[in-house]
Structures are given as structure tokens and as C-alpha cells.
Amino acid sequence: DIQMTQSPSSVSASVGDRVTITCRASQGISSWLAWYQQKPGKAPKLLIYAASILQSGVPSRFSGSGSGTDFTLTISSLQPEDFATYYCQQANSFPFTFGPGTKVDIK
Amino acid sequence: EVQLVESGGGLVQPGKSLRLSCAASGFTFSRHWMSWVRQAPGKGLEWVAYMNQDGSEKFSVDSVKGRFTISRDNAKNSLYLQMNSLRVEDTAVYHCARTAATGRGLDVWGQGTTVTVSS
């Protein structure tokens, strides 16, 4: 199975900050990577798929990049509604494993 | 409105069985891969199982193989997860999720149904 890691595990940031989250796959997954946002008690929400394609309706302050084994999610200017946990997920081969998550909270 | 609604969760003793259902509406169910994803209390997301559009292909994570079975009924726009020989560690919120037509992202999620395995 492909293992996914994320760093940092948590980050404290202020509104307006630029936040970058890194996701690494244990083997190459081409661009088969998705990013999700989850708020407490809610279902996850798809932000980005195919490593860099913004899901419809997602604000443009979110962006994704990378291919192969190393990927990043960037929030260019953190907004109050962005405080949440973010997960990456590989969709290259089954099982479609998730990363452990990165919690973004208020500094 | 595109929607997924899970049902069937509850409190069950270890070793017992439970069947989860997911009712889809607002989209052509038969055109999409479907998956089950779970989240144990205070933990991260765990992908559990997947089935392709016509049910001819499925896959599940090792921790549930031989115990959980995913199935679907396209005529009823429904996805199922039959869970047998339940363990305490299966306690989680179980979400069904639709795979997007492109990119394989899970683009529609249900709110989840809670399964608690305890004696």
C-alpha cells in the first residue's frame, strides 16, 4: 500500500497569512492526488484534485502543486473560514490512502 | 440537489453484523465509482472500500477484507456496506462518497452514520 505523510501535523496562523502544507507519497503517484478540508462534525470537502485542479466553487486562494511523490497545498491568504483540518489522498492505486491530516488553527 | 444520505449505523456488540446503506439523489448514480470512508473518534480519514459503476470491480482495505462487503443497486440508487465480525476498532463515522467523473477526487460526501462497537 502507498503511505501518505503530511507536514506539519498542525500549524498556527493568523488571518491573512500564507500557509503551505506538504504531502509526500511513499512511491510515485503521478498527479493522482486530492486535497480535502474538514471542519469539526462535518464531512470532508474536496478542494483540489489531480494535484493542481481547483474543484468548482473553491476559492482561488487555494492552490495545489506537485507530481510524483511530493505535493503542496497553499492557502495564499488565510481567511477565518479556512481554520480546519486538511487531508491529502492518493488516487493512484488501491487502497486510496489518506494522509494523517494537518490542523490549521488560530494563532 | 446532489445528495448522499447514509443510514444503518448504531450500537452493536463485537462479533455482530451491521449493514449500512447510502441513498443517492440528484445525479446519475450508475455513472460513478462509489466509496466508503470512515473516521474513528478523534482520528483521521480512512478509505475503506470502493466499487466501480456496474459493480464488476471492488476493492477494500486490508483491515476489513473478509469481513466487510461493498455492494450497490443502481436501480435503487443505493450503495451498501455489509459489515460482519465487527471489532471495537471498527467504531467510526462511516461516510459514503462519490468519485468525480475526472480526477478521482471524492467530490460528494454524505454526512455519515455512526457505528459503535462495544460490549
Side-chain angles (χ1 to χ4, degrees), chain A residues 44-64:
Chain A
K45 173 186 175 183
L46 178 65
L47 299 175
I48 288 169
Y49 63 93
S52 62
I53 302 176
L54 202 63
Q55 174 71 355
S56 176
V58 174
S60 59
R61 62 181 179 272
F62 291 93
S63 64

Side-chain angles (χ1 to χ4, degrees), chain A residues 1 32-34 36 38 41-46 48-50 55 87 89 91-100, chain B residues 33 35 37 39 43-47 50 57 59-62 95 99-100 102-107 109-112:
Chain A
D1 296 359
W32 293 111
L33 186 98
Y36 302 86
Q38 187 181 32
K42 300 294 187 181
K45 173 186 175 183
L46 178 65
I48 288 169
Y49 63 93
Q55 174 71 355
Y87 296 92
Q89 182 205 21
N92 181 74
S93 61
F94 294 113
F96 285 173
T97 40
F98 288 90
Chain B
W33 293 3
S35 294
V37 176
Q39 187 166 34
K43 302 297 184 182
L45 301 170
E46 181 183 26
W47 182 91
Y50 130 92
E57 180 180 282
F59 194 95
S60 58
V61 70
D62 282 349
H95 298 273
T99 300
T102 58
R104 298 182 186 171
L106 300 175
D107 66 340
W109 293 67
Q111 280 304 301

Side-chain angles (χ1 to χ4, degrees), chain A residues 4 22-35 48-53 64-73 90 92:
Chain A
M4 306 299 293
T22 297
C23 176
R24 177 165 289 175
S26 61
Q27 63 190 75
I29 58 171
S30 185
S31 295
W32 293 111
L33 186 98
W35 288 97
I48 288 169
Y49 63 93
S52 62
I53 302 176
S65 65
S67 67
T69 60
D70 295 314
F71 302 87
T72 59
L73 172 71
Q90 66 84 15
N92 181 74

Side-chain angles (χ1 to χ4, degrees), chain B residues 76-110:
Chain B
K76 295 183 178 179
N77 293 329
S78 293
L79 180 74
Y80 306 100
L81 187 67
Q82 177 66 44
M83 304 187 296
N84 298 331
S85 302
L86 280 160
R87 304 169 180 169
V88 171
E89 55 265 34
D90 296 320
T91 294
V93 175
Y94 285 73
H95 298 273
C96 66
R98 183 184 86 169
T99 300
T102 58
R104 298 182 186 171
L106 300 175
D107 66 340
V108 179
W109 293 67

